Amino acid sequence: MKYRYWIFDLDNTLHFADIKIFPLVNKKMDAYIQNKLNISKKKSALLRQYYWDVYGATLPGLIKHHQINPQDFLKTTHDLMFNNDTILFPKNIKHTLKNIPVRKLVFTNAPKAYSEKILKHMKIYRLFNGVHSIEDSNFLGKPNQHSFHQLFKDNKFKRGVMIDDVKENLIMAKKMGLITIWFSKERYKPNYVDYKIFNLQQLKRLRIS
C-alpha cells in the first residue's frame, strides 16, 4: 500500500459511544470537576463542554487552567464496567477491518486502558498495530499539532489515512499531510475532507491514491 498506516479514531467511529458510554463518562467528569474545583454541578458540566470545544478534550483545559492530575482524572472518569449493553458497535466490524489490507492504528483522546478494554471487548484489538492514546500525546490529544507529531514519531511514518468523526481533528490531519475520511451522516463535505462515509463498510470501496 502507498500509505503506511490507516489511522482510526475510537469513540463514535469504531463504536457508538454517544449512546451509552459518553453519558456515563460525562457524568463522572462532571462529578470529578465539581469536587476538585468546588463548583456547582451545572458549572462543572458547562466547564467540561467548554474545554472540549476549545481543546478537543476536557483534560487539556483542566491541566492548563486548574493543574489537575491527569492520571487521577483519567482513572477516575473512565473506570467503567463494559458489557454488551454499554459497548455498541456494528456487528460486521471485525470482518470489515480484516478485509482492509493495511496497517491500522487507533488514535484517540481516550486513555489507554479504556481504549484497549473496548477494543478487546469488540474482539478487534489484535487487528490494530497499536493504540495511540491521550497519554501517548502527553495529555494534549487531538487536534493539537503536538499529538500528531508524536503519533508520527512513535510509529515512524508521515504518510497515512485518517478516519475520524470529529471534523476539527481532520482539519489538523489535513494540515499534517494525511488523507482525511470523515465518518459522518452530514450531507456537506468540507474542502479539508477527502472522503466522507457513514458506514465503515464503505472504506472497502474507496479508491485512495
Side-chain angles (χ1 to χ4, degrees):
M1 296 293 292
K2 184 177 180 181
Y3 296 97
R4 184 176 174 85
Y5 280 111
W6 280 33
I7 305 143
F8 290 78
D9 174 52
L10 176 63
D11 294 324
N12 285 329
T13 299
L14 293 176
H15 72 108
F16 308 123
D18 272 345
I19 299 174
K20 293 287 184 72
I21 292 180
F22 273 4
L24 295 173
V25 171
N26 289 343
K27 185 177 180 180
K28 283 179 171 285
M29 285 187 179
D30 291 347
Y32 186 96
I33 296 168
Q34 183 180 359
N35 178 58
K36 290 292 183 179
L37 304 186
N38 193 26
I39 59 177
S40 69
K41 183 177 180 180
K42 181 179 180 180
K43 286 184 178 180
S44 66
L46 290 172
L47 194 64
R48 166 180 56 78
Q49 186 62 45
Y50 173 72
Y51 287 153
W52 193 92
D53 292 339
V54 172
Y55 297 104
T58 300
L59 180 56
L62 292 175
I63 295 172
K64 181 176 181 178
H65 300 288
H66 309 283
Q67 295 75 54
I68 289 294
N69 182 301
Q71 296 287 3
D72 182 59
F73 174 82
L74 294 173
K75 182 178 179 180
T76 303
T77 59
H78 289 76
D79 182 21
L80 303 173
M81 294 294 292
F82 293 130
N83 54 50
N84 292 332
D85 292 327
T86 55
I87 303 178
L88 306 176
F89 55 92
K91 293 181 180 180
N92 58 3
I93 189 169
K94 186 174 183 179
H95 176 77
T96 299
L97 292 172
K98 275 187 173 181
N99 282 277
I100 302 174
V102 294
R103 294 185 179 187
K104 306 175 191 70
L105 292 170
V106 171
F107 183 21
T108 177
N109 284 350
K112 182 83 74 178
Y114 162 97
S115 303
E116 292 182 347
K117 192 180 293 186
I118 287 179
L119 294 170
K120 288 175 181 177
H121 182 88
M122 295 170 64
K123 295 180 170 51
I124 60 174
Y125 176 72
R126 294 186 179 276
L127 299 180
F128 291 92
N129 295 82
V131 176
H132 193 89
S133 67
I134 197 163
E135 295 100 323
D136 298 312
S137 296
N138 296 320
F139 305 107
L140 293 172
K142 300 176 286 184
N144 189 287
Q145 190 174 29
H146 170 83
S147 67
F148 284 84
H149 283 304
Q150 197 64 48
L151 173 75
F152 294 165
K153 180 180 177 181
D154 289 351
N155 296 281
K156 297 178 174 60
F157 77 99
K158 290 184 179 180
R159 296 176 61 80
V161 178
M162 183 166 163
I163 303 101
D164 204 305
D165 68 295
V166 178
K167 59 182 183 294
E168 288 79 8
N169 296 337
L170 295 176
I171 294 174
M172 181 56 70
K174 189 66 177 176
K175 289 179 180 178
M176 299 298 291
L178 298 173
I179 298 294
T180 55
I181 301 177
W182 190 23
F183 187 79
S184 173
K185 292 184 179 180
E186 294 285 353
R187 293 188 177 184
Y188 72 100
K189 185 172 79 68
N191 58 11
Y192 53 82
V193 169
D194 295 304
Y195 303 90
K196 186 168 72 67
I197 61 172
F198 59 85
N199 186 311
L200 291 178
Q201 285 185 296
Q202 294 176 284
L203 290 173
K204 294 184 293 184
R205 299 197 291 269
L206 297 182
R207 296 291 181 264
I208 297 178
S209 58

